[in-house]
Amino acid sequence: MNTSVPPFPVIVNNRLRGGRSSAVAAIQEPNHDRWDEPPAAPATSEPVVFPSSWRLLDDVELMDLNDPEFLIDGVIPLQGVGVVYGPSASGKTTLLAGMTVAQATGREWFGHSIRHRGATVYAAAEDVSGFKQRLRAAKRAAQLPLDQPIGVYTFPESINMLDAVSFHRFRAFLAQVEYCAPLRQIVIDTYAAVTPGAAENSSEDTTTAMVHAQHLRDALGVTVVLVHHTNAGGTRERGHTSMRGAADFMISVTPVDDAIHVECSKQRNAAPFDKMTLKLIPAAGGEGCVMRLAADVLPSTELTLAQAKVYAVLRDSFTEDGASKSEWQRSCPDVPERTFHRACKVLIESGHVKTVGSHFRAVPR
């Protein structure tokens, strides 16, 4: 007769039998005979109460629901969460400053109409002064007086989108403000600045930040735009892919020579908008710069910011004898090499610079 203890407890007539130890014997027996059946609902005398919002839509009722709407037609969804990303100094903040002015005034944004005009809160967590310069240039370009509010609000304090308490205070603060127009959009610049200490390649940290952005969207009924950077290779946004998975839209900003390509890399509920090719040009009054469609920039009469900088260095830093190309380039240390050579070509072709032997001279304007 085999008297050995079975290696695991066994079920006999719905009762627990056998086992190696009291810990094993303490395993709760199941409340049903077959493992492939769902557990029974907990016994209660209370009636089941459903949320009042629960309902079922048949296929005809589903078709009656509103289609997805946009703040900026085909570009920025109404009440969505999205990311505008690109390398440092690619013009992201300049692009968004112009967008906020268009959103506040109802003017077209690079050919796209404003469907829901309203106010924007710009959380300038990284560089308040930089946003000030870009917004000033955008208002002047739109011929708006600087001393007249239009509905672009700046939040200059730091927040932490990984911390529930910090995030709740930010949301509650925005909820109690009286705006001059309906609040439509919150721009957070940059994602890295509002996720201090985060492991960007961590699914947990990224998901926490994106869930908070979604809560902000739902609680205030706004669109949330996160400003972010590209990875080291410049091929996509930095960090974990859960950001892209949670986003309703993604917009890349990529400098190419003296132009900037703005492309839609995700649009959850619509077709991607056509790629924009833009150029930075000096703003009126010479302070800052604004963006214009490349097709609208006349190379013979207007210079991009990089071209204007390269031209000014040659004009102001060298005598009438001019400079060799290497001397000229060394005097422009903040201009990338490829951009410098492209600017030289445009300046010569447009007549701003002439060559004398191996030297280059600025033509007075």
Side-chain angles (χ1 to χ4, degrees):
M1 178 178 178
N2 183 5
T3 60
S4 62
V5 176
F8 299 101
V10 295
I11 305 297
V12 179
N13 294 329
N14 277 348
R15 298 183 65 82
L16 185 68
R17 301 293 187 191
R20 290 182 182 273
S21 66
S22 58
V24 172
I27 299 174
Q28 295 182 357
E29 68 180 84
N31 61 2
H32 50 83
D33 291 335
R34 296 181 56 189
W35 290 102
D36 57 351
E37 292 179 356
T44 177
S45 59
E46 298 294 328
V48 178
V49 178
F50 303 106
S52 60
S53 61
W54 280 23
R55 56 181 173 151
L56 284 178
L57 304 174
D58 65 29
D59 50 299
V60 174
E61 291 171 323
L62 179 66
M63 297 305 139
D64 289 336
L65 295 182
N66 293 331
D67 289 334
E69 296 185 67
F70 283 83
L71 280 181
I72 302 177
D73 189 33
V75 180
I76 305 295
L78 179 69
Q79 297 182 16
V81 172
V83 183
V84 174
Y85 64 98
S88 296
S90 60
K92 299 183 297 293
T93 305
T94 300
L95 185 79
L96 288 163
M99 179 189 292
T100 63
V101 170
Q103 184 65 55
T105 60
R107 303 180 184 185
E108 282 192 346
W109 188 74
F110 297 118
H112 295 266
S113 62
I114 305 299
R115 291 298 184 89
H116 294 273
R117 179 180 174 182
T120 294
V121 169
Y122 204 101
E126 191 170 84
D127 185 9
V128 177
S129 297
F131 181 63
K132 170 190 172 181
Q133 293 175 345
R134 290 157 177 80
L135 182 60
R136 178 172 57 201
K139 288 188 71 174
R140 283 178 170 166
Q143 298 182 339
L144 297 170
L146 298 182
D147 58 355
Q148 177 181 322
I150 61 172
V152 179
Y153 299 84
T154 302
F155 182 80
E157 307 298 327
S158 61
I159 58 173
N160 187 344
M161 290 190 69
L162 299 179
D163 179 75
V165 174
S166 173
F167 170 78
H168 175 73
R169 282 201 298 259
F170 178 59
R171 184 181 63 188
F173 173 77
L174 295 184
Q176 55 85 44
V177 174
E178 293 186 9
Y179 302 94
C180 67
L183 180 61
R184 299 291 190 189
Q185 182 175 243
I186 298 172
V187 179
I188 298 176
D189 188 356
T190 62
Y191 174 80
V194 299
T195 54
E200 285 191 343
N201 291 318
S202 159
S203 172
E204 182 178 357
D205 286 349
T206 305
T207 299
T208 297
M210 294 304 289
V211 166
H212 280 158
Q214 292 167 342
H215 286 174
L216 193 63
R217 171 198 64 193
D218 297 339
L220 301 181
V222 298
T223 292
V224 179
V225 180
L226 303 171
V227 183
H228 196 29
H229 294 97
T230 49
N231 60 9
T235 56
R236 66 171 185 87
E237 70 282 358
R238 202 167 69 195
H240 197 271
T241 56
S242 56
M243 170 180 280
R244 178 170 290 270
D248 298 304
F249 63 98
M250 304 280 292
I251 298 174
S252 66
V253 180
T254 309
V256 179
D257 293 333
D258 63 337
I260 295 170
H261 292 175
V262 178
E263 300 180 73
C264 178
S265 61
K266 180 180 180 179
Q267 191 67 270
R268 190 186 298 278
N269 292 318
F273 58 82
D274 292 337
K275 182 176 74 174
M276 305 177 193
T277 302
L278 311 177
K279 288 193 175 185
L280 279 169
I281 63 170
E287 293 186 71
C289 57
V290 294
M291 285 193 176
R292 291 286 182 264
L293 289 170
D296 295 339
V297 176
L298 302 177
S300 61
T301 58
E302 294 185 66
L303 299 178
T304 66
L305 187 65
Q307 292 163 4
K309 181 181 294 185
V310 171
Y311 172 78
V313 167
L314 183 64
R315 180 195 61 198
D316 300 336
S317 301
F318 295 93
T319 64
E320 292 182 356
D321 293 333
S324 67
K325 199 166 191 178
S326 59
E327 291 172 337
W328 187 10
Q329 184 179 357
R330 285 196 299 270
S331 299
C332 304
D334 57 342
V335 179
E337 181 177 357
R338 189 176 180 183
T339 302
F340 173 82
H341 290 298
R342 174 64 181 168
C344 290
K345 183 175 183 294
V346 172
L347 291 170
I348 294 169
E349 291 175 348
S350 62
H352 286 76
V353 170
K354 66 179 181 179
T355 58
V356 180
S358 61
H359 277 56
F360 297 82
R361 295 179 184 174
V363 176
R365 295 283 166 174

